Amino acid sequence: MKIAIGADHAGFLLKESLKRELARLGHAVADHGTGTQESCDYPDFASAVARDVAQGRADLGVLVCLTGTGMAIAANKVAGARAVWGASPDQVRMARAHNDANVLALGAKYTNVEAASAMLESFLGTGFEGGRHQRRIGKIGAIERADCAGPDQEPNT
């Protein structure tokens, strides 16, 4: 798989560890930065990763900032991105299976390398179940289309 990855300064070190893990597992990695621990703005990296995933240039995305929250919020502004904040391997598995989450956001302050690796493994190893869950993903898409319609346009539902 091709995985897009990004982090701000607070998530840089954990991102670098996850990049090595992804490479070890045989995945192609598109690193959208940052490349240092110098202060920077997380929305820049969240949008780049989310766009890669939403536009099909990457299969999945991984984001890291201090808490993971800002990254998830910013990524979810991109139509087609379904970012989830990672709390545990089981929660991440459910997000993939039921919500077709395609971007994993992690908080470096709350997630050590071992926990992040376990969540990454769950994220990569779980597929979307479809079925009744597909109907719900369709409704999320309808919300995106309605909210992305311009002021002179009818929502595209």
Side-chain angles (χ1 to χ4, degrees), residues 4-77:
I5 194 167
D8 67 0
H9 56 282
F12 171 71
L13 294 176
L14 183 55
K15 176 195 70 129
E16 292 299 303
S17 292
L18 295 174
K19 265 177 48 177
R20 288 189 295 275
E21 180 71 10
L22 288 165
R24 186 186 68 73
L25 294 170
H27 298 288
V29 178
D31 186 348
H32 290 283
T34 189
T36 72
Q37 290 182 281
E38 187 176 325
S39 184
C40 56
D41 300 326
Y42 64 84
D44 300 335
F45 310 103
S47 62
V49 168
R51 285 188 182 109
D52 255 14
V53 172
Q55 295 173 8
R57 293 187 300 265
D59 299 299
L60 296 170
V62 178
L63 294 165
V64 189
C65 67
L66 185 70
T67 66
T69 305
M71 286 289 200
I73 290 169
N76 280 322
K77 300 301 179 190

